Amino acid sequence: MENFTRSYLVRSASNIALIKYWGKHSEQLPCNPSLSLTLTNCYTESSFTVAKDSRGALEFTLEGKQKEGFDSKALKLHQRIARDYPQLLDFSFNVDSRNTFPHGAGIASSASALSCLAQGFLEAIGVREQGLIGHYARLGSGSACRSVLDGLSLWGTTKLIEGSSDDYAVPVKDIDPTFLGLRDSILVVSSEEKEVSSSAGHALMETHPYAKRRFEVARENLEKLLISLKNGDWNSFIEVVEREALELHALMMTGIPSYTLMRPGSLDFIVKFRKWRLESEARAAFTLDAGPNIHVIHSPEDTHLVQAFIQDWMKSSGYAERVIEDVAGRGTRTLEGKGRA
Ligand code: DP6
């Protein structure tokens, strides 16, 4: 076996779901299709140093430091890929990752981190097919498979999109230009540790009294959203995106056990934002993940309006700690190092 070392960098942005994935079964398969926006500025970058040797060693660091707990999903993913591609074990990996966004900012780091790792591991064995990268990213963390793709992507089988799959995400192509270059202003209302992990949240749906109806409603909402995207209809886009976020939180509140993940600042924002939007007619919708922080998804043409409102609200309410600006962006990519080091 010829010994050599290669280095490359993989970058993958986080994504924010407009139709939520909440509930899974079997091996990380979603109970309903979800649709999200891949971002730009909030990303994970993993630097891979790969040596061809039969030790199959694996070392992870986060910004150069060993971090307890960070690597359990990563280790599982490595083992899972090695099950299908035993040649992965002919390599030793040294992976150092960093996130551009702060921990606890309501930005999913598992989506960006696990898509980065899936692509990085597969790169070592020459697997570059997007569907396969999505497949393994999904096994790492469900929402990660959507980050593999640019802009708006859909994960989950639906008759509405040809080629859609529970296995990996596919691009959403039929989009009116008004929805291109969407922006996301992320308001950090609280950076406290998440009260409930995604895994616990998904598990809640296994026995949730409203689960069956929720999975149907998610499909109905998806259909409405796809029509809005196609027709350039902001009013119905706003209605569906906000309803999805509130449904996710309603499910959490009515679950057994019950979780209240919004904070007073989240609700204060929602109430004032809706009132302001009626007056300003801004093309902007709020959404939330499984936490208190607010994402304001808006048209690039209304950024100035949205930013002015957010600044005013932050000053007058004192609730938000900070705001992170982001925009629709590119999926997972390997940035350098095709050759040997
Ligand atoms: C609320 O993808 O983090 O962000 O598959 O268990 O890793 P696992 O869950 P994860 O769940 C994301 C849930 C969500 C909604 C979404 O992104 O669709």
Side-chain angles (χ1 to χ4, degrees):
M1 188 189 291
E2 195 191 351
N3 287 321
F4 69 89
T5 303
R6 308 180 41 189
S7 303
Y8 47 87
L9 208 58
V10 183
R11 182 183 287 183
S12 192
S14 187
N15 68 72
I16 174 70
L18 306 181
I19 300 290
K20 309 291 183 185
Y21 150 54
W22 203 237
K24 61 178 168 182
H25 65 93
S26 314
E27 200 185 11
Q28 293 272 100
L29 296 175
C31 292
N32 62 263
S34 57
L35 188 153
S36 68
L37 180 71
T38 298
L39 300 172
T40 299
N41 302 329
C42 295
Y43 63 83
T44 298
E45 198 166 75
S46 297
S47 130
F48 282 77
T49 308
V50 184
K52 184 136 190 184
D53 67 40
S54 51
R55 285 182 307 127
L58 197 52
E59 196 181 310
F60 292 108
T61 47
L62 203 58
E63 298 195 343
K65 294 186 200 105
Q66 306 274 0
K67 195 162 185 279
E68 220 44 50
F70 164 74
D71 49 5
S72 73
K73 279 189 167 185
L75 279 171
K76 266 199 208 147
L77 178 62
H78 179 265
Q79 284 166 1
R80 187 61 186 76
I81 297 177
R83 218 164 86 193
D84 297 343
Y85 295 95
Q87 64 268 42
L88 192 73
L89 301 175
D90 294 340
F91 297 92
S92 284
F93 287 89
N94 193 305
V95 186
D96 184 48
S97 296
R98 72 178 183 101
N99 290 335
T100 56
F101 49 96
H103 186 70
I107 302 157
S109 62
S110 67
S112 55
L114 272 302
S115 46
C116 238
L117 290 177
Q119 179 147 325
F121 287 140
L122 293 168
E123 172 65 31
I125 52 172
V127 175
R128 301 195 180 95
E129 209 249 292
Q130 213 169 41
L132 280 171
I133 296 166
H135 164 81
Y136 289 104
R138 184 203 99 224
L139 292 175
S141 175
S143 55
C145 72
R146 299 183 312 231
S147 275
V148 172
L149 302 182
D150 302 348
L152 292 165
S153 67
L154 174 122
W155 167 42
T157 309
T158 162
K159 60 178 181 359
L160 304 169
I161 300 253
E162 218 187 298
S164 59
S165 170
D166 278 355
D167 192 16
Y168 49 80
V170 296
V172 178
K173 291 189 182 136
D174 210 356
I175 303 171
D176 183 273
T178 188
F179 291 114
L180 297 179
L182 282 175
R183 294 191 160 259
D184 182 10
S185 297
I186 306 155
L187 275 143
V188 184
V189 171
S190 164
S191 53
E192 275 170 30
E193 202 60 44
K194 270 169 97 171
E195 192 187 320
V196 56
S197 69
S198 291
S199 309
H202 290 293
L204 204 65
M205 292 306 285
E206 287 167 21
T207 53
H208 200 292
Y210 301 140
K212 187 167 172 282
R213 183 66 191 129
R214 158 62 194 163
F215 302 140
E216 290 164 0
V217 170
R219 287 178 183 275
E220 291 163 17
N221 286 346
L222 173 68
E223 180 157 18
K224 285 182 196 146
L225 189 68
L226 289 172
I227 294 170
S228 325
L229 289 171
K230 183 178 174 183
N231 295 343
D233 183 343
W234 267 97
N235 288 337
S236 94
F237 174 90
I238 290 168
E239 199 192 312
V240 177
V241 168
E242 297 187 352
R243 175 147 6 101
E244 269 294 305
L246 296 175
E247 257 173 43
L248 172 71
H249 282 259
L251 287 164
M252 227 94 75
M253 286 194 251
T254 52
I256 306 159
S258 146
Y259 297 96
T260 315
L261 303 182
M262 285 196 209
R263 290 291 166 265
S266 327
L267 267 179
D268 188 75
F269 181 84
I270 290 171
V271 170
K272 292 184 179 142
F273 174 76
R274 283 181 152 173
K275 186 165 178 283
W276 163 81
R277 189 181 50 218
L278 268 181
E279 292 151 11
S280 66
E281 296 184 354
R283 287 159 289 183
F286 70 80
T287 186
L288 296 91
D289 263 347
N293 300 317
I294 306 262
H295 291 246
V296 182
I297 311 293
H298 60 277
S299 158
E301 288 168 29
D302 287 350
T303 293
H304 56 290
L305 278 177
V306 170
Q307 285 182 349
F309 171 75
I310 289 176
Q311 288 309 321
D312 280 356
W313 177 78
M314 282 171 77
K315 263 190 229 124
S316 61
S317 73
Y319 276 127
E321 294 167 16
R322 59 184 293 189
V323 51
I324 297 168
E325 295 296 342
D326 217 327
V327 59
R330 293 183 53 186
T332 315
R333 61 207 150 116
T334 302
L335 291 176
E336 57 184 65
K338 293 275 180 227
R340 292 174 185 184

